Amino acid sequence: MTLRVAGVILISTSVSYFHVISNLEVQTKKQLEKYITERGQRESISFKLAEDNLTFLKQQILEKLQQPSSRDLAAEFDRLHFRWSDGTFRNAPQTQPIAAFDTAQYPTSFISRDAQMDATLKRVFMAGYNLVQAYGPAWSVRFPDTYFNTPEKNSVFYWKDVPLNLIGPSDFDLTKQEFFYIADPTHNPTRKPAWTGVYRDPNAQIWMVSVIVPVYDGDRFLGTTGHDIILTDLLEQTIKNRLPGTYNLIFRADGRLIAHPDYMDKIQQAQGQLKITNLNDSHLQTIWQLAQNSHTGVVENAQHHEFLAITQLTGPNWYFVTVYPKSLLSGAAFDTARFVLITGALALLIEVILLFSVLQKQVAKPLQSLTFASEQLTIGNFEINLDVTRQDELGQLANSFNSMTSQLKSSFMQLEQANAELEQRVTERTIELQNTVQELHRTQAQMVQSEKMSALGQMVAGVAHEINNPINFIHGNLNYVTNYTQDLLELIELYEQYFLNLPPKIEERRAEIDLDFLAEDLTKILQSMANGTGRVREIVLSLRNFSRLDEADCKTVNLHEGIDSTILFLQHRLNTTNQRPDISIVKDYGILPLVECYAGELNQALMNVLVNAIDALEASSAPTITIRTQAVESVVMITIADNGIGMSGEVKSRIFDPFFTTKPVGKGTGLGLFISYQIITQRHYGKLYCNSVVGEGSELCIEIPLKQM
């Protein structure tokens, strides 16, 4: 019987091993698929952003060249550049120390001594120069440099702290460099973004790769825009950030190795030009071939007993590969099989002992007594004493059982005491953790809300800036268009006075277009356009006042302008809905001096209060919000009142608590008034309180000092 049971255990162990390893392979492939997809997306962010930046810069250059401008870019070119003794032109006098050049604010420019700069080429170059100066400092947060190069060997280069075009040699031919020619018409007829190989920058001593976007005006090749991307973090994370027991590598489709834990020294020595085919490594060459065949996903490398998780990084289209040895699976499966084997062996041993005991009739009765005593022990009866007078093994067993019973009794008493103490400690610790988690949630939510408002302010300021210039242009030219139109109409009237007998075709055309109506309506249209552009200018001014991104510090401002800007920003919430008519805004403004405050944050607090007032009026038949301001001694008071349903005493006592809200799930976070309370009381050392009567409405009062301490 023992041999048969042992055989069954061995067969079960073998089946368990193969079953476990099969399941582990399926699970591992799914996990690798998810891991490599997420890893590829994360590592591709910088590359995609770089392409988007340069595509945007290209479009801006073309738009600047196509739009008429009152600026004489050729004259600006001549004022900006100075001839050096080597025959080149650069944007700094040769006598000025290079260290005195402000590389943080201005790019450096280089005009080849061979370039024949006519007015057109100067205009193209200055368009690129102005845009690199405008966007280079902002993009330097993610990318060290931004540049614009032309086929005439001219260059605009922004790199904070590196005046590259002021220290470069006079005979430098950028058109023969990889970062230029990979995007010229010969090497890149498709005009798509192109990527260089990996290289080590000689100035900064860091690993980089360049992305280049060609710029065409129709079929005319104007030049290239470019970013250099630092690869230090990517290479380090490729080697260090890996799954246990695996390793990562990166290579180009042409076989150039970029990152590998065993070949980093050779990659550095080859300046990023190390090819897999030049290495005597059949394993690495097999990985390269499998990656080219599958492109993405998880494939099996049966030759080397491993899985390969493959993805392509967006942009340079590099292959990112995670190598997962199958030995990791067999080890886990072997541990499971060993557990099954040991468990079966122990079960077999217990079975043999029990069978042997049953065959010993002389021990049946003592065993029954022992069984009874054990049952009593399980129900908590420790007052048991077995017969210990026997001199055999059963007597020793009874003696040991009695000793164990005594020890268990003592242990249970100690355990109960320890359990009570532990429960007390767990309760205290749970309360502490709950308080900590609640505070973390409140802090996190406040940070998220602040970030959202900051992002909103940036967006509003950006929109206002982009709209301001074209609308001013339109508004400024409407007067001229109106005068020109009036002159033309007067001229037509003179023609009609002095030429009474007009040709039939002119008479027919005059009747067809209804000249009298056209003259009358054209004047009205121009006046409507003037009114409309004036309204847009007011909206732009209000948006800029609301965002106040340039007023992060404490400054003196006109509070009425901030309130009006906030109301304008919420105008869409005031319009008629299915539940109520338009909300009326009643302004009862007092005479206020300029107030010293943090304008952007105060606007955020005002908007939160107004949003809550609007929400309180959703079911009102004659909704009205009244805003009053007054200055009392050294304090400014702002009162925002609504004629909604009002609040109960319980609700009013909790409206400034974090996460408290009376709105349905998904309609509010309970943070608006809490954040406003923090801004008013902690940031401005003021007061924010509420007065409300059920059925009559609510009013929130803000008090802040005229000057901050």
Side-chain angles (χ1 to χ4, degrees), residues 400-558:
S400 298
F401 186 86
N402 290 339
S403 177
M404 180 191 68
T405 301
S406 177
Q407 292 180 2
L408 282 175
K409 182 178 180 181
S410 176
S411 298
F412 269 99
M413 293 176 63
Q414 295 177 2
L415 182 61
E416 288 178 357
Q417 183 179 358
N419 187 50
E421 295 177 355
L422 181 59
E423 288 181 354
Q424 179 64 26
R425 293 174 58 188
V426 167
T427 301
E428 294 174 355
R429 185 58 176 167
T430 300
I431 294 174
E432 293 178 2
L433 289 175
Q434 288 175 346
N435 294 336
T436 302
V437 169
Q438 184 177 6
E439 182 64 26
L440 286 174
H441 285 170
R442 182 164 59 249
T443 303
Q444 181 185 22
Q446 186 173 359
M447 291 176 63
V448 169
Q449 184 73 6
S450 298
E451 286 296 322
K452 288 168 64 178
M453 290 304 300
S454 175
L456 177 62
Q458 293 179 0
M459 181 194 71
V460 169
V463 170
H465 177 73
E466 292 299 327
I467 295 175
N468 191 47
N469 289 338
I471 203 64
N472 282 341
F473 174 79
I474 295 172
H475 188 78
N477 283 302
L478 277 175
N479 289 333
Y480 297 108
V481 173
T482 302
N483 293 335
Y484 297 160
T485 302
Q486 190 63 37
D487 291 343
L488 288 173
L489 293 175
E490 291 176 357
L491 179 61
I492 292 173
E493 185 178 354
L494 288 174
Y495 267 101
E496 291 181 339
Q497 291 177 0
Y498 289 96
F499 294 93
L500 299 179
N501 297 321
L502 297 176
K505 286 188 177 181
I506 295 179
E507 285 287 356
E508 180 181 350
R509 182 57 177 164
R510 186 185 188 282
E512 179 181 348
I513 66 175
D514 194 354
L515 181 61
D516 295 335
F517 172 77
L518 185 148
E520 179 182 356
D521 195 51
L522 182 58
T523 303
K524 294 179 180 178
I525 290 174
L526 291 174
Q527 183 60 40
S528 298
M529 292 174 65
N531 294 336
T533 55
R535 176 59 177 162
V536 173
R537 294 177 69 197
E538 293 175 0
I539 293 173
V540 168
L541 179 60
S542 296
L543 290 176
R544 296 176 65 181
N545 288 337
F546 176 81
S547 64
R548 294 188 181 270
L549 290 180
D550 57 342
E551 298 184 7
D553 294 330
C554 188
K555 295 185 177 180
T556 56
V557 299
N558 185 332

Side-chain angles (χ1 to χ4, degrees), residues 85-138:
S85 59
D86 56 11
T88 65
F89 284 86
R90 316 194 190 201
N91 63 331
Q94 189 172 10
T95 56
Q96 174 184 309
I98 294 178
F101 189 86
D102 185 4
T103 56
Q105 184 175 358
Y106 301 101
T108 56
S109 61
F110 174 91
I111 307 301
S112 171
R113 59 190 179 189
D114 300 328
Q116 302 296 324
M117 301 298 292
D118 57 17
T120 300
L121 293 179
K122 290 179 180 180
R123 186 168 180 264
V124 171
F125 186 86
M126 286 306 299
Y129 179 94
N130 292 333
L131 290 169
V132 169
Q133 179 182 355
Y135 294 109

